[in-house]
Structure formats: structure tokens, C-alpha cells
Amino acid sequence: MNIEELMELDKDTYGTDLRPMVYLKNDNIKITETKIDIGSTPEDLKKWAAHERNATLMREKNFNDGVNYFDTLQKLDIDLIQDVPSGWNLFDPPKKHELADLIRSIASVGLIYPIYVLQHTSGVYSVICGRSRLLAFANLFQATGLDKYRFIPSYIIKESETDELFVRTMIIESNLRFRSISKLNLIQSLITIYEVMQRCKNFRGESNVAVEVAKTFEVSETTVFNYIKVRDLCEEALTLLYEDRLKLKAALYLARVSKETQKNILERFGIAGVNKVYKLKLITKEGNISLEELEEKIEELKTYTMPKTKIILEVDRRFVNPLLEYLLNFKKEHVNPFANKYTRGVTTSVFKLRYDAEAMGLYAKQNIIDEITLRKLVSKLSYEKIG
């Protein structure tokens, strides 16, 4: 069994599909759904309700108390272990050089960390954590024929003792800790964990879920909410985002309008146009619009220039204070009159200064710059209003 054979195992998707749907390049398969009323009997409904209750209780127990697997370590025949169902593991298989490094490591010092497998009621095993290690063993056994590579140390978790969503959380968290992942993997995993936590009693509130997800992924809560918003993107936009061809900020503006409007914008405006966020912001400002209105806006934007720009300066410390004084005079003579007339004295909408806080702090302590000048320069209110 080689990497291609193991990765291309034919397996059905079952359980709850939490992934945002997306068609990747060269995928012409279209999926349609038809709901059929099978006429459930009262007994069927009771059984289903009992099943749901038991599943919820097990889920709460798993997330609250964890799952005991340390007493179940044994060596399993690699031929008995398959991949988890499609849609559970969102991560790409290891690259060839990564797998080669892992094979060399295992051949030299052996397997340091056992893998984790799910034992199905049918007796079949699915790898939860350690797919790359399993692939390494498969390749080593194929190359050497040695029994020590045919049997891999495995912690076994029984399907009857755990919940599907807990297993999927284990898969995501183990990959986050041990692998570098692509933006596609990150977004899909973050959304999946968000959906999982919402199904747990302890994480009903949206803000509570965001806090926990942010801790898991070591990102800000704002990042979590931004990635959650991309669930509202059409399939084409999701694909572009996952392929890093669509900026996240542009994706967030697209998500404000209907999927039909998103498709029209992508088709008429193109990826390059959509990634010009200042233009996309104007297009999506009024929400859903007709094709005719969209065409008019695109025509208008052909001669439209961005209202703001950034200028980055790097200056020797000997000239920092004269530069600050010059900028303060510029703000007083040009920015403040405009702000007082049009923005109630608030200057940040037309002029904003950013700087290296650590460097400026040291310069102020050493009297290289005048700290009062800096404060006036970065103030939101005009110079005249703060005196």
C-alpha cells in the first residue's frame, strides 16, 4: 500500500457535513438533493428522538470529561486501518518531502508517538490522528517487508463510546499542533470547530464560541468572526478565497450581498476588480442590485480613484523631530480647516499617522523628539480644538 492508494480509498461521507461547500478547480461534479417523505411511523420518530438524546449526552460527556484511550494501546495491522470518512479530515496529505523526512525518522529511531484510531462497530479501524505516520509505516512495510512496520502502535477509541463531533475536533486540533496548514485548511477547520462548539451545551452563545475558537487557533476573535462570515459566500468566491486569489477583505464585502449578486459581480467585475476593495465597497454599499445597476456602477468606477492612500517614510532619528513639526504644521494649515468644516473637527477620516511606538517612546525619553508635538499630531481632534 503506497501513499496514492491509501489517500484514494473509496469511502462514503457520513455524519454531519460541517464544511462550507466549494467547487475546486477541475471539479465538474454537480450535486443535487431531493427530499423524499418516507412517512415515518410514531415508533420511528421515538427511536430517532432517543438516538438524538443519547448522542447529545455522549457529546457532552466527551467534551466535559474527555475520552479514555491510554489503556487501549496495542499494535494494529496497517491493512486493517483506513482513512476516516470523507469530510472529517479537512487537511491535505503530507507533501512528498515531508513524508520522506518522516520515513527516515521512523526508520532511524522508531515511532515516538502512537497513532489514534476509531474502532467502528463493524470492527474496521479509521485513523483519527497520525495519518502521516500510518503512511510512513505503509511505505516502510512495502519497501522492507518487515513485520515491525506491518503493525503500528495505536490508541483505540471505540465508536460506541464517543461522538462523531468529538473525533472530528481531535483531528483538527492534532493537525493544528503538528503541521503547517494552508489557508483552505485553516478556514475550513475554523468553521468546522465553530459548528461543533455551537452544538455543545456549554458553548451556546456566539461570543463564547468565538472566544474558545480563538484560543484553539491562537487567533483574535475578530479573525474568527471574519472567517465565519465567509460561509455566506457563493461557491465561486469560496474557491477563489481558498486558492488565495481573493483577498479576505474583499470576500467580507462580497458576503454582504446575496450569492446571486456575488456571482454577477465576479462575472462582470473580474477577480482583479473585486480585489480593489475600495471599489468593491462602493458596489456592495447598497446591498443587492440588479444587473443593470451593476453595469452602471462598474462603468462609473472606471474613472474612479481611491479616496485615500498610504505613504511610508523611513527617516534617520536626527530628522524625526523636524519631520513631526513639519507634519503638525501641515495638519494645522490644511487638514484642520477641512476637518472643522466637513467632519466636526475629527481629522482621522482624512489624515492618520502611524509610527513605531517603541522607537518613539525611546526618542521621547532621550529628548530626541518633543512628545507634545507627537500627541497633537496623532490626536483625532483638530489642533485648534485641543489648544
Side-chain angles (χ1 to χ4, degrees):
M1 181 188 299
N2 58 29
I3 183 170
E4 287 81 12
E5 291 171 333
L6 188 56
M7 283 300 118
E8 293 178 6
L9 286 174
D10 184 20
K11 53 191 181 300
D12 295 329
T13 299
Y14 68 92
T16 309
D17 194 352
L18 303 174
R19 297 168 298 168
M21 293 304 296
V22 55
Y23 297 127
L24 297 177
K25 286 190 290 190
N26 302 322
D27 185 358
N28 297 318
I29 299 173
K30 299 291 182 181
I31 300 174
T32 58
E33 289 186 4
T34 304
K35 292 186 178 180
I36 302 174
D37 184 4
I38 60 173
S40 301
T41 65
E43 289 75 17
D44 292 333
L45 294 174
K46 285 182 181 178
K47 287 180 181 178
W48 178 251
H51 171 76
E52 285 291 290
R53 281 197 302 273
N54 291 335
T56 301
L57 289 172
M58 182 180 291
R59 183 177 305 154
E60 297 301 328
K61 183 177 184 299
N62 289 162
F63 278 98
N64 290 334
D65 304 332
V67 175
N68 179 31
Y69 44 76
F70 289 110
D71 299 331
T72 65
L73 182 64
Q74 57 182 280
K75 290 187 175 181
L76 290 180
D77 189 329
I78 59 174
D79 284 338
L80 298 179
I81 307 172
Q82 63 182 21
D83 207 352
V84 289
S86 173
W88 286 29
N89 194 329
L90 307 173
F91 299 87
D92 302 323
K95 295 180 174 62
K96 288 187 178 180
H97 71 275
E98 293 173 334
L99 183 60
D101 288 342
L102 183 57
I103 289 172
R104 280 195 293 270
S105 173
I106 291 174
S108 299
V109 299
L111 184 69
I112 298 175
Y113 300 105
I115 67 171
Y116 295 73
V117 299
L118 181 67
Q119 183 180 16
H120 299 280
T121 52
S122 62
V124 175
Y125 299 92
S126 294
V127 59
I128 299 173
C129 308
R131 182 165 59 164
S132 298
R133 281 164 276 167
L134 177 61
L135 284 171
F137 261 67
N139 278 268
L140 282 166
F141 179 65
Q142 185 180 48
T144 67
L146 297 175
D147 272 356
K148 69 176 182 177
Y149 298 125
R150 180 179 176 182
F151 299 94
I152 185 168
S154 312
Y155 289 117
I156 299 171
I157 300 174
K158 292 184 178 180
E159 187 178 40
S160 59
E161 296 176 1
T162 190
D163 174 64
E164 166 204 337
L165 298 184
F166 183 82
V167 172
R168 293 168 74 163
T169 302
M170 286 184 65
I171 293 171
I172 290 173
E173 295 208 6
S174 66
N175 277 279
L176 288 178
R177 279 161 176 69
F178 296 109
R179 296 184 59 188
S180 58
I181 60 175
S182 65
K183 180 181 284 188
L184 164 62
N185 294 154
L186 175 63
I187 297 174
Q188 286 190 322
S189 301
L190 191 148
I191 290 174
T192 298
I193 287 291
Y194 185 90
E195 296 285 358
V196 167
M197 288 186 175
Q198 278 198 318
R199 286 164 168 75
C200 297
K201 189 178 294 183
N202 295 340
F203 301 108
R204 291 297 185 193
E206 193 175 74
S207 59
N208 292 335
V209 176
V211 169
E212 293 302 318
V213 174
K215 289 178 184 175
T216 299
F217 287 81
E218 297 181 352
V219 297
S220 68
E221 292 171 46
T222 301
T223 300
V224 173
F225 281 120
N226 283 341
Y227 281 145
I228 295 304
K229 288 175 187 174
V230 307
R231 290 181 301 177
D232 296 327
L233 288 175
C234 64
E235 292 146 6
E236 293 83 353
L238 265 176
T239 300
L240 293 172
L241 178 65
Y242 289 162
E243 293 174 352
D244 245 350
R245 296 162 66 197
L246 180 66
K247 294 178 182 177
L248 176 60
K249 197 166 184 180
L252 294 175
Y253 276 112
L254 271 182
R256 294 180 178 184
V257 296
S258 70
K259 292 182 179 181
E260 182 180 355
T261 303
Q262 293 173 31
K263 290 178 183 179
N264 289 336
I265 292 172
L266 283 169
E267 184 178 334
R268 300 298 195 282
F269 209 29
I271 301 173
V274 169
N275 277 324
K276 291 175 181 173
V277 179
Y278 70 98
K279 291 186 177 182
L280 181 63
K281 184 177 179 181
L282 293 175
I283 288 179
T284 58
K285 184 178 180 181
E286 297 172 9
N288 300 327
I289 55 176
S290 65
L291 272 175
E292 292 76 12
E293 292 172 320
L294 177 59
E295 295 285 4
E296 288 176 8
K297 283 185 177 288
I298 291 175
E299 192 61 34
E300 291 173 7
L301 289 172
K302 286 181 178 178
T303 56
Y304 182 81
T305 55
M306 60 182 69
K308 294 181 185 178
T309 190
K310 294 180 181 178
I311 299 174
I312 299 175
L313 297 173
E314 186 173 330
V315 62
D316 186 284
R317 64 179 181 176
R318 290 168 292 187
F319 306 117
V320 173
N321 200 61
L323 176 63
L324 295 181
E325 291 175 351
Y326 179 86
L327 290 174
L328 186 59
N329 286 331
F330 168 81
K331 183 179 179 184
K332 181 178 179 181
E333 293 175 10
H334 299 281
V335 176
N336 292 347
F338 182 91
N340 287 333
K341 185 175 181 180
Y342 297 105
T343 62
R344 298 181 181 179
V346 178
T347 61
T348 51
S349 61
V350 292
F351 176 86
K352 189 181 293 184
L353 177 71
R354 293 181 181 174
Y355 56 88
D356 184 328
E358 182 180 1
M360 287 298 186
L362 290 172
Y363 291 165
K365 285 181 181 178
Q366 296 171 11
N367 295 320
I368 295 175
I369 65 167
D370 179 18
E371 193 172 0
I372 295 176
T373 299
L374 181 62
R375 280 188 204 158
K376 289 180 178 180
L377 192 54
V378 299
S379 171
K380 291 183 180 181
L381 297 178
S382 65
Y383 176 77
E384 290 83 353
K385 294 204 170 198
I386 62 173

